[in-house]
Amino acid sequence: MFYREAGDFKTSYRDDNQTFPIKFDRYRYYVVLAVAFGIIPFIINDYWANALLLPFLIYAIAAIGLNILVGYCGQVSLGTGGFMAVGAYACYKLMTAFPDVSMFIHVILAGGITAIVGVLFGLPSLRIKGFYLAVATLAAQFFLVWLFNRVPWFYNYSASGQINAPERDVFGIIITGPNAPAWATYLFCLIFLTACAIIARNLTRGTTGRTWMAIRDMDIAAEIIGVNPLRAKLSAFAVSSFFVGVSGALFFAIYLGAVEVGEAFGIQKSFLVLFMVIIGGLGSIFGSFAGAAFLVLLPVVLKVVGADMLDWPTDIVAHLQLVIVGGLIILFLILEPHGLAQLWRVAKEKLRLWPFPH
């Protein structure tokens, strides 16, 4: 009986168009932020940071970026891993060239560089769409991985071909390198995720988001009523690539510390982020969070239950993960195309009516 709109009056259009129109939702949002910023940093350890929290925060940013492009604007992309690599290598070059500049600036600039690259590879979307656009972005994935492998300047002529994040600090607290405390890396990624989610939510609710959705639903009709397809599609590629570049920079500098582009940002990474968006829900910011949480938690749960408790072989557990993910994608595409986000919406509607039948 606590999840109700009774007594929650709106006296202006601004109140009526809130992201969380029900008070309980707003309070829950503030509680989640309070726990994330005020409690978890004091109880976190290296295992929880490296196994669950950091991957979730970073992949959630990438999923939000891809969801803007695929879910809101309807432009198919299979090059997420390559754009994450652009963010990672841009961050590496900035860290080594400007060691005295704050890491916040490095990550933001890496996202900006990735946005420029994303716009360049988004130009074909003005002429092609659907399967052909997917192939074009897939070509971008392979080209970017090849570029970072073959041009030694990107990895500073290292003999191994890897890039290694130098130790950097923010306000005297180390956040990169092996000596970085878990709480510091967690808070650094959490700040970026919170900012990206707020920016994405406001963009998708405003005029920009409406133009993206108009292009997604019917691009010819959108152009007839005055939507500029050039601006709409390229802005979607730019914003999406910015978020993906930020996630790639954090994935390299904060989470891994050392990467080789083919292993860390291969085609598997592109499909992983795409699966997060499909399972979480297309066209939903919450769906990006849900999909990232699900696919980050799934391997850990399978390892604990299958390998540790049931003593299954590790290769069986790894293959079982692929089977579960593939089966869920088929089920969601057939039964619930809007993913976990739609299931959450339906559950909330049931709660608003419970215990009454209608």
Side-chain angles (χ1 to χ4, degrees), residues 23-82:
K23 286 184 179 179
F24 180 80
D25 287 336
R26 292 197 296 273
Y27 295 154
R28 184 187 61 204
Y29 169 74
Y30 294 136
V31 168
V32 169
L33 282 181
V35 171
F37 280 96
I39 296 178
I40 293 180
F42 295 99
I43 62 176
I44 193 175
N45 55 33
D46 289 336
Y47 172 77
W48 286 100
N50 294 321
L52 292 175
L53 294 176
L54 289 184
F56 164 69
L57 297 175
I58 294 169
Y59 282 130
I61 298 175
I64 290 172
L66 184 61
N67 214 338
I68 286 175
L69 185 63
V70 178
Y72 284 97
C73 195
Q75 307 302 300
V76 184
S77 174
L78 296 177
T80 310

Short mmCIF file of all heavy atoms in Angstrom, two decimals, residues 23-82:
data_model
loop_
_atom_site.label_atom_id
_atom_site.label_comp_id
_atom_site.label_asym_id
_atom_site.label_seq_id
_atom_site.Cartn_x
_atom_site.Cartn_y
_atom_site.Cartn_z
N LYS A 23 6.61 10.12 -5.33
CA LYS A 23 7.54 10.45 -4.25
C LYS A 23 8.39 9.25 -3.85
O LYS A 23 9.58 9.40 -3.57
CB LYS A 23 6.76 10.98 -3.04
CG LYS A 23 6.23 12.39 -3.20
CD LYS A 23 5.56 12.85 -1.92
CE LYS A 23 5.04 14.29 -2.08
NZ LYS A 23 4.36 14.77 -0.86
N PHE A 24 7.78 8.08 -3.80
CA PHE A 24 8.53 6.90 -3.38
C PHE A 24 9.71 6.64 -4.32
O PHE A 24 10.80 6.26 -3.87
CB PHE A 24 7.61 5.68 -3.36
CG PHE A 24 8.30 4.41 -2.95
CD1 PHE A 24 8.54 4.14 -1.61
CD2 PHE A 24 8.72 3.49 -3.89
CE1 PHE A 24 9.18 2.97 -1.23
CE2 PHE A 24 9.35 2.32 -3.52
CZ PHE A 24 9.58 2.06 -2.18
N ASP A 25 9.51 6.86 -5.62
CA ASP A 25 10.60 6.68 -6.58
C ASP A 25 11.72 7.69 -6.32
O ASP A 25 12.90 7.34 -6.40
CB ASP A 25 10.09 6.83 -8.01
CG ASP A 25 9.26 5.63 -8.45
OD1 ASP A 25 9.46 4.55 -7.88
OD2 ASP A 25 8.42 5.79 -9.34
N ARG A 26 11.34 8.93 -6.03
CA ARG A 26 12.36 9.94 -5.76
C ARG A 26 13.13 9.61 -4.49
O ARG A 26 14.36 9.70 -4.46
CB ARG A 26 11.71 11.32 -5.63
CG ARG A 26 11.13 11.85 -6.91
CD ARG A 26 10.87 13.34 -6.85
NE ARG A 26 9.87 13.68 -5.85
CZ ARG A 26 8.57 13.70 -6.09
NH1 ARG A 26 8.11 13.36 -7.30
NH2 ARG A 26 7.71 14.05 -5.16
N TYR A 27 12.44 9.20 -3.45
CA TYR A 27 13.13 8.85 -2.21
C TYR A 27 14.06 7.65 -2.42
O TYR A 27 15.16 7.61 -1.88
CB TYR A 27 12.10 8.53 -1.12
CG TYR A 27 11.25 9.72 -0.72
CD1 TYR A 27 9.97 9.55 -0.18
CD2 TYR A 27 11.71 11.03 -0.91
CE1 TYR A 27 9.19 10.64 0.16
CE2 TYR A 27 10.93 12.12 -0.58
CZ TYR A 27 9.68 11.93 -0.03
OH TYR A 27 8.91 13.00 0.30
N ARG A 28 13.59 6.68 -3.19
CA ARG A 28 14.42 5.51 -3.47
C ARG A 28 15.68 5.92 -4.25
O ARG A 28 16.78 5.42 -3.97
CB ARG A 28 13.62 4.49 -4.28
CG ARG A 28 14.36 3.19 -4.57
CD ARG A 28 13.56 2.34 -5.51
NE ARG A 28 13.38 3.03 -6.78
CZ ARG A 28 12.38 2.77 -7.61
NH1 ARG A 28 11.46 1.88 -7.29
NH2 ARG A 28 12.28 3.42 -8.75
N TYR A 29 15.53 6.84 -5.17
CA TYR A 29 16.68 7.32 -5.93
C TYR A 29 17.70 8.00 -5.02
O TYR A 29 18.90 7.75 -5.12
CB TYR A 29 16.17 8.30 -7.00
CG TYR A 29 17.23 9.10 -7.71
CD1 TYR A 29 18.06 8.50 -8.65
CD2 TYR A 29 17.41 10.46 -7.44
CE1 TYR A 29 19.03 9.23 -9.31
CE2 TYR A 29 18.37 11.19 -8.09
CZ TYR A 29 19.18 10.58 -9.03
OH TYR A 29 20.14 11.30 -9.67
N TYR A 30 17.23 8.83 -4.09
CA TYR A 30 18.14 9.49 -3.17
C TYR A 30 18.79 8.50 -2.21
O TYR A 30 19.97 8.64 -1.86
CB TYR A 30 17.39 10.57 -2.37
CG TYR A 30 16.89 11.72 -3.21
CD1 TYR A 30 15.60 12.23 -3.05
CD2 TYR A 30 17.70 12.28 -4.19
CE1 TYR A 30 15.13 13.27 -3.84
CE2 TYR A 30 17.24 13.32 -4.99
CZ TYR A 30 15.96 13.81 -4.80
OH TYR A 30 15.52 14.83 -5.59
N VAL A 31 18.06 7.48 -1.81
CA VAL A 31 18.64 6.46 -0.93
C VAL A 31 19.74 5.69 -1.65
O VAL A 31 20.80 5.42 -1.09
CB VAL A 31 17.53 5.51 -0.42
CG1 VAL A 31 18.14 4.28 0.24
CG2 VAL A 31 16.62 6.23 0.56
N VAL A 32 19.48 5.33 -2.91
CA VAL A 32 20.50 4.61 -3.69
C VAL A 32 21.76 5.46 -3.83
O VAL A 32 22.89 4.96 -3.67
CB VAL A 32 19.93 4.22 -5.07
CG1 VAL A 32 21.04 3.70 -5.98
CG2 VAL A 32 18.86 3.15 -4.92
N LEU A 33 21.60 6.74 -4.15
CA LEU A 33 22.77 7.62 -4.25
C LEU A 33 23.49 7.74 -2.92
O LEU A 33 24.74 7.73 -2.87
CB LEU A 33 22.34 9.00 -4.73
CG LEU A 33 22.04 9.17 -6.22
CD1 LEU A 33 21.66 10.61 -6.53
CD2 LEU A 33 23.24 8.75 -7.06
N ALA A 34 22.74 7.85 -1.82
CA ALA A 34 23.37 7.96 -0.51
C ALA A 34 24.17 6.71 -0.16
O ALA A 34 25.29 6.80 0.35
CB ALA A 34 22.31 8.22 0.56
N VAL A 35 23.61 5.54 -0.47
CA VAL A 35 24.33 4.29 -0.21
C VAL A 35 25.57 4.19 -1.10
O VAL A 35 26.65 3.80 -0.65
CB VAL A 35 23.39 3.09 -0.42
CG1 VAL A 35 24.18 1.78 -0.37
CG2 VAL A 35 22.29 3.08 0.63
N ALA A 36 25.40 4.55 -2.39
CA ALA A 36 26.51 4.42 -3.33
C ALA A 36 27.68 5.33 -2.97
O ALA A 36 28.85 4.93 -3.07
CB ALA A 36 26.03 4.72 -4.75
N PHE A 37 27.37 6.57 -2.55
CA PHE A 37 28.43 7.52 -2.25
C PHE A 37 28.85 7.52 -0.78
O PHE A 37 30.00 7.84 -0.48
CB PHE A 37 27.98 8.95 -2.63
CG PHE A 37 28.09 9.25 -4.09
CD1 PHE A 37 26.99 9.13 -4.93
CD2 PHE A 37 29.29 9.66 -4.64
CE1 PHE A 37 27.09 9.41 -6.28
CE2 PHE A 37 29.41 9.95 -5.99
CZ PHE A 37 28.30 9.82 -6.81
N GLY A 38 27.95 7.17 0.11
CA GLY A 38 28.24 7.34 1.53
C GLY A 38 28.53 6.09 2.32
O GLY A 38 29.07 6.17 3.42
N ILE A 39 28.16 4.91 1.79
CA ILE A 39 28.35 3.68 2.55
C ILE A 39 29.30 2.71 1.87
O ILE A 39 30.25 2.21 2.50
CB ILE A 39 26.98 2.99 2.80
CG1 ILE A 39 26.09 3.89 3.66
CG2 ILE A 39 27.17 1.64 3.46
CD1 ILE A 39 24.71 3.32 3.92
N ILE A 40 29.08 2.45 0.58
CA ILE A 40 29.90 1.45 -0.12
C ILE A 40 31.39 1.77 -0.08
O ILE A 40 32.21 0.87 0.11
CB ILE A 40 29.39 1.28 -1.57
CG1 ILE A 40 28.00 0.64 -1.56
CG2 ILE A 40 30.36 0.43 -2.39
CD1 ILE A 40 27.41 0.41 -2.93
N PRO A 41 31.83 3.05 -0.25
CA PRO A 41 33.28 3.31 -0.19
C PRO A 41 33.94 2.90 1.13
O PRO A 41 35.14 2.62 1.15
CB PRO A 41 33.36 4.83 -0.40
CG PRO A 41 32.14 5.17 -1.16
CD PRO A 41 31.08 4.26 -0.64
N PHE A 42 33.17 2.81 2.20
CA PHE A 42 33.75 2.46 3.50
C PHE A 42 33.80 0.95 3.73
O PHE A 42 34.50 0.49 4.64
CB PHE A 42 32.96 3.13 4.63
CG PHE A 42 33.04 4.63 4.61
CD1 PHE A 42 32.01 5.38 4.07
CD2 PHE A 42 34.16 5.28 5.12
CE1 PHE A 42 32.08 6.76 4.04
CE2 PHE A 42 34.24 6.67 5.08
CZ PHE A 42 33.20 7.41 4.55
N ILE A 43 33.06 0.17 2.94
CA ILE A 43 33.03 -1.27 3.15
C ILE A 43 33.58 -2.05 1.96
O ILE A 43 33.66 -3.28 2.02
CB ILE A 43 31.58 -1.74 3.44
CG1 ILE A 43 30.67 -1.46 2.25
CG2 ILE A 43 31.05 -1.07 4.70
CD1 ILE A 43 29.25 -1.99 2.42
N ILE A 44 33.97 -1.35 0.91
CA ILE A 44 34.42 -2.03 -0.30
C ILE A 44 35.81 -2.62 -0.08
O ILE A 44 36.62 -2.12 0.71
CB ILE A 44 34.44 -1.03 -1.49
CG1 ILE A 44 34.59 -1.76 -2.81
CG2 ILE A 44 35.55 -0.01 -1.32
CD1 ILE A 44 34.48 -0.84 -4.02
N ASN A 45 36.08 -3.74 -0.77
CA ASN A 45 37.42 -4.32 -0.79
C ASN A 45 37.83 -4.59 -2.22
O ASN A 45 37.07 -4.35 -3.15
CB ASN A 45 37.47 -5.61 0.05
CG ASN A 45 36.44 -6.64 -0.38
OD1 ASN A 45 36.11 -6.74 -1.56
ND2 ASN A 45 35.92 -7.40 0.57
N ASP A 46 39.05 -5.10 -2.41
CA ASP A 46 39.57 -5.29 -3.77
C ASP A 46 38.74 -6.28 -4.57
O ASP A 46 38.54 -6.10 -5.77
CB ASP A 46 41.03 -5.75 -3.69
CG ASP A 46 41.96 -4.64 -3.25
OD1 ASP A 46 41.59 -3.46 -3.43
OD2 ASP A 46 43.03 -4.94 -2.69
N TYR A 47 38.27 -7.35 -3.92
CA TYR A 47 37.50 -8.35 -4.65
C TYR A 47 36.20 -7.77 -5.18
O TYR A 47 35.86 -7.92 -6.36
CB TYR A 47 37.20 -9.56 -3.77
CG TYR A 47 36.24 -10.53 -4.43
CD1 TYR A 47 36.69 -11.39 -5.43
CD2 TYR A 47 34.89 -10.57 -4.08
CE1 TYR A 47 35.82 -12.27 -6.06
CE2 TYR A 47 34.01 -11.44 -4.70
CZ TYR A 47 34.49 -12.28 -5.69
OH TYR A 47 33.62 -13.14 -6.31
N TRP A 48 35.44 -7.09 -4.31
CA TRP A 48 34.17 -6.53 -4.73
C TRP A 48 34.38 -5.45 -5.80
O TRP A 48 33.57 -5.31 -6.71
CB TRP A 48 33.43 -5.95 -3.54
CG TRP A 48 32.84 -7.00 -2.66
CD1 TRP A 48 33.34 -7.48 -1.48
CD2 TRP A 48 31.64 -7.75 -2.91
NE1 TRP A 48 32.54 -8.47 -0.98
CE2 TRP A 48 31.48 -8.65 -1.83
CE3 TRP A 48 30.69 -7.74 -3.92
CZ2 TRP A 48 30.41 -9.53 -1.75
CZ3 TRP A 48 29.62 -8.61 -3.84
CH2 TRP A 48 29.48 -9.50 -2.77
N ALA A 49 35.46 -4.70 -5.67
CA ALA A 49 35.72 -3.65 -6.66
C ALA A 49 36.05 -4.24 -8.02
O ALA A 49 35.47 -3.86 -9.04
CB ALA A 49 36.86 -2.75 -6.18
N ASN A 50 36.97 -5.20 -8.06
CA ASN A 50 37.46 -5.73 -9.34
C ASN A 50 36.51 -6.74 -9.97
O ASN A 50 36.45 -6.87 -11.19
CB ASN A 50 38.84 -6.36 -9.16
CG ASN A 50 39.89 -5.34 -8.79
OD1 ASN A 50 39.89 -4.23 -9.29
ND2 ASN A 50 40.79 -5.70 -7.89
N ALA A 51 35.77 -7.48 -9.15
CA ALA A 51 34.90 -8.53 -9.69
C ALA A 51 33.52 -8.00 -10.07
O ALA A 51 32.90 -8.50 -11.02
CB ALA A 51 34.76 -9.67 -8.68
N LEU A 52 33.02 -7.00 -9.33
CA LEU A 52 31.64 -6.59 -9.55
C LEU A 52 31.47 -5.10 -9.82
O LEU A 52 30.94 -4.71 -10.86
CB LEU A 52 30.78 -6.98 -8.33
CG LEU A 52 30.56 -8.46 -8.09
CD1 LEU A 52 29.81 -8.67 -6.78
CD2 LEU A 52 29.79 -9.07 -9.24
N LEU A 53 31.92 -4.26 -8.90
CA LEU A 53 31.51 -2.86 -8.93
C LEU A 53 32.14 -2.09 -10.08
O LEU A 53 31.45 -1.38 -10.82
CB LEU A 53 31.85 -2.20 -7.59
CG LEU A 53 31.03 -2.74 -6.41
CD1 LEU A 53 31.47 -2.12 -5.11
CD2 LEU A 53 29.55 -2.50 -6.63
N LEU A 54 33.46 -2.18 -10.25
CA LEU A 54 34.10 -1.43 -11.34
C LEU A 54 33.61 -1.90 -12.71
O LEU A 54 33.29 -1.05 -13.56
CB LEU A 54 35.62 -1.54 -11.23
CG LEU A 54 36.28 -0.76 -10.09
CD1 LEU A 54 37.80 -0.89 -10.17
CD2 LEU A 54 35.88 0.69 -10.10
N PRO A 55 33.54 -3.21 -12.99
CA PRO A 55 32.99 -3.60 -14.29
C PRO A 55 31.57 -3.11 -14.50
O PRO A 55 31.21 -2.67 -15.60
CB PRO A 55 33.06 -5.13 -14.26
CG PRO A 55 34.11 -5.45 -13.27
CD PRO A 55 34.05 -4.37 -12.24
N PHE A 56 30.74 -3.18 -13.46
CA PHE A 56 29.37 -2.71 -13.61
C PHE A 56 29.31 -1.22 -13.93
O PHE A 56 28.61 -0.79 -14.85
CB PHE A 56 28.58 -2.98 -12.32
CG PHE A 56 27.30 -2.19 -12.23
CD1 PHE A 56 26.24 -2.47 -13.07
CD2 PHE A 56 27.18 -1.16 -11.31
CE1 PHE A 56 25.07 -1.72 -13.01
CE2 PHE A 56 26.02 -0.42 -11.23
CZ PHE A 56 24.96 -0.70 -12.09
N LEU A 57 30.07 -0.41 -13.22
CA LEU A 57 30.04 1.04 -13.44
C LEU A 57 30.52 1.38 -14.85
O LEU A 57 29.92 2.21 -15.54
CB LEU A 57 30.92 1.74 -12.40
CG LEU A 57 30.49 1.61 -10.93
CD1 LEU A 57 31.53 2.26 -10.02
CD2 LEU A 57 29.13 2.24 -10.71
N ILE A 58 31.59 0.74 -15.28
CA ILE A 58 32.17 1.07 -16.59
C ILE A 58 31.29 0.57 -17.72
O ILE A 58 31.03 1.28 -18.70
CB ILE A 58 33.60 0.49 -16.68
CG1 ILE A 58 34.51 1.19 -15.66
CG2 ILE A 58 34.15 0.63 -18.09
CD1 ILE A 58 35.86 0.54 -15.48
N TYR A 59 30.81 -0.67 -17.61
CA TYR A 59 29.95 -1.21 -18.67
C TYR A 59 28.61 -0.47 -18.72
O TYR A 59 28.00 -0.37 -19.79
CB TYR A 59 29.71 -2.70 -18.46
CG TYR A 59 30.87 -3.57 -18.90
CD1 TYR A 59 31.40 -4.54 -18.06
CD2 TYR A 59 31.42 -3.41 -20.17
CE1 TYR A 59 32.46 -5.34 -18.47
CE2 TYR A 59 32.48 -4.20 -20.58
CZ TYR A 59 33.00 -5.16 -19.73
OH TYR A 59 34.05 -5.94 -20.14
N ALA A 60 28.14 0.02 -17.58
CA ALA A 60 26.89 0.78 -17.59
C ALA A 60 27.03 2.05 -18.41
O ALA A 60 26.11 2.45 -19.14
CB ALA A 60 26.46 1.10 -16.16
N ILE A 61 28.20 2.72 -18.31
CA ILE A 61 28.43 3.91 -19.13
C ILE A 61 28.42 3.55 -20.61
O ILE A 61 27.81 4.25 -21.44
CB ILE A 61 29.76 4.58 -18.74
CG1 ILE A 61 29.72 5.05 -17.28
CG2 ILE A 61 30.07 5.77 -19.66
CD1 ILE A 61 31.04 5.60 -16.78
N ALA A 62 29.11 2.46 -20.96
CA ALA A 62 29.14 2.03 -22.37
C ALA A 62 27.74 1.64 -22.85
O ALA A 62 27.36 1.96 -23.98
CB ALA A 62 30.10 0.85 -22.53
N ALA A 63 26.97 0.97 -21.99
CA ALA A 63 25.62 0.57 -22.39
C ALA A 63 24.71 1.78 -22.58
O ALA A 63 23.88 1.81 -23.49
CB ALA A 63 25.03 -0.38 -21.34
N ILE A 64 24.85 2.79 -21.72
CA ILE A 64 24.07 4.02 -21.90
C ILE A 64 24.40 4.65 -23.25
O ILE A 64 23.51 5.08 -24.00
CB ILE A 64 24.33 5.00 -20.75
CG1 ILE A 64 23.73 4.47 -19.45
CG2 ILE A 64 23.75 6.38 -21.06
CD1 ILE A 64 24.10 5.29 -18.23
N GLY A 65 25.70 4.72 -23.57
CA GLY A 65 26.10 5.30 -24.85
C GLY A 65 25.54 4.54 -26.04
O GLY A 65 25.00 5.14 -26.98
N LEU A 66 25.66 3.21 -26.00
CA LEU A 66 25.15 2.42 -27.12
C LEU A 66 23.64 2.48 -27.19
O LEU A 66 23.05 2.48 -28.28
CB LEU A 66 25.62 0.97 -26.99
CG LEU A 66 25.24 0.04 -28.15
CD1 LEU A 66 25.85 0.54 -29.46
CD2 LEU A 66 25.68 -1.39 -27.87
N ASN A 67 22.97 2.56 -26.03
CA ASN A 67 21.52 2.63 -26.02
C ASN A 67 21.02 3.93 -26.64
O ASN A 67 19.96 3.96 -27.27
CB ASN A 67 21.00 2.51 -24.59
CG ASN A 67 19.68 1.78 -24.52
OD1 ASN A 67 18.95 1.71 -25.50
ND2 ASN A 67 19.36 1.24 -23.36
N ILE A 68 21.75 5.01 -26.47
CA ILE A 68 21.38 6.27 -27.11
C ILE A 68 21.38 6.10 -28.62
O ILE A 68 20.47 6.57 -29.32
CB ILE A 68 22.34 7.39 -26.67
CG1 ILE A 68 22.04 7.81 -25.23
CG2 ILE A 68 22.23 8.60 -27.61
CD1 ILE A 68 23.01 8.83 -24.68
N LEU A 69 22.38 5.42 -29.14
CA LEU A 69 22.49 5.26 -30.58
C LEU A 69 21.51 4.23 -31.12
O LEU A 69 20.81 4.48 -32.13
CB LEU A 69 23.93 4.85 -30.94
CG LEU A 69 24.26 4.74 -32.43
CD1 LEU A 69 24.12 6.09 -33.11
CD2 LEU A 69 25.67 4.20 -32.62
N VAL A 70 21.42 3.07 -30.47
CA VAL A 70 20.59 1.98 -30.98
C VAL A 70 19.15 2.10 -30.50
O VAL A 70 18.21 1.97 -31.28
CB VAL A 70 21.20 0.62 -30.57
CG1 VAL A 70 20.31 -0.53 -31.06
CG2 VAL A 70 22.61 0.48 -31.12
N GLY A 71 18.97 2.33 -29.20
CA GLY A 71 17.63 2.33 -28.64
C GLY A 71 16.84 3.59 -28.90
O GLY A 71 15.64 3.54 -29.15
N TYR A 72 17.51 4.74 -28.85
CA TYR A 72 16.80 6.01 -29.01
C TYR A 72 16.81 6.53 -30.45
O TYR A 72 15.84 7.13 -30.89
CB TYR A 72 17.39 7.07 -28.09
CG TYR A 72 16.98 6.91 -26.65
CD1 TYR A 72 17.81 6.26 -25.75
CD2 TYR A 72 15.77 7.39 -26.18
CE1 TYR A 72 17.43 6.09 -24.42
CE2 TYR A 72 15.38 7.24 -24.86
CZ TYR A 72 16.23 6.58 -23.98
OH TYR A 72 15.85 6.41 -22.67
N CYS A 73 17.93 6.31 -31.16
CA CYS A 73 18.02 6.84 -32.52
C CYS A 73 17.83 5.77 -33.60
O CYS A 73 17.66 6.10 -34.77
CB CYS A 73 19.37 7.54 -32.72
SG CYS A 73 19.45 8.60 -34.17
N GLY A 74 17.88 4.49 -33.19
CA GLY A 74 17.62 3.43 -34.15
C GLY A 74 18.74 3.15 -35.12
O GLY A 74 18.51 2.53 -36.16
N GLN A 75 19.97 3.57 -34.81
CA GLN A 75 21.12 3.33 -35.69
C GLN A 75 21.92 2.13 -35.17
O GLN A 75 22.44 2.17 -34.06
CB GLN A 75 22.01 4.57 -35.74
CG GLN A 75 21.29 5.85 -36.10
CD GLN A 75 20.60 5.76 -37.44
OE1 GLN A 75 21.21 5.54 -38.48
NE2 GLN A 75 19.28 5.94 -37.41
N VAL A 76 21.98 1.08 -35.94
CA VAL A 76 22.63 -0.15 -35.49
C VAL A 76 24.14 0.05 -35.48
O VAL A 76 24.71 0.59 -36.43
CB VAL A 76 22.25 -1.33 -36.41
CG1 VAL A 76 22.86 -2.62 -35.90
CG2 VAL A 76 20.75 -1.45 -36.51
N SER A 77 24.79 -0.42 -34.40
CA SER A 77 26.24 -0.27 -34.29
C SER A 77 26.84 -1.55 -33.72
O SER A 77 26.37 -2.07 -32.70
CB SER A 77 26.61 0.92 -33.39
OG SER A 77 28.01 0.98 -33.17
N LEU A 78 27.89 -2.04 -34.37
CA LEU A 78 28.65 -3.19 -33.88
C LEU A 78 30.11 -2.82 -33.65
O LEU A 78 30.97 -3.69 -33.62
CB LEU A 78 28.57 -4.36 -34.88
CG LEU A 78 27.18 -4.95 -35.12
CD1 LEU A 78 27.25 -6.03 -36.19
CD2 LEU A 78 26.61 -5.51 -33.83
N GLY A 79 30.39 -1.53 -33.47
CA GLY A 79 31.77 -1.08 -33.30
C GLY A 79 32.08 -0.53 -31.93
O GLY A 79 33.03 0.25 -31.77
N THR A 80 31.31 -0.94 -30.91
CA THR A 80 31.51 -0.39 -29.57
C THR A 80 32.89 -0.68 -29.03
O THR A 80 33.52 0.18 -28.40
CB THR A 80 30.44 -0.95 -28.62
OG1 THR A 80 29.15 -0.79 -29.20
CG2 THR A 80 30.49 -0.23 -27.28
N GLY A 81 33.39 -1.89 -29.25
CA GLY A 81 34.73 -2.22 -28.77
C GLY A 81 35.80 -1.34 -29.37
O GLY A 81 36.74 -0.91 -28.68
N GLY A 82 35.68 -1.04 -30.67
CA GLY A 82 36.66 -0.17 -31.31
C GLY A 82 36.61 1.24 -30.76
O GLY A 82 37.65 1.88 -30.54
#
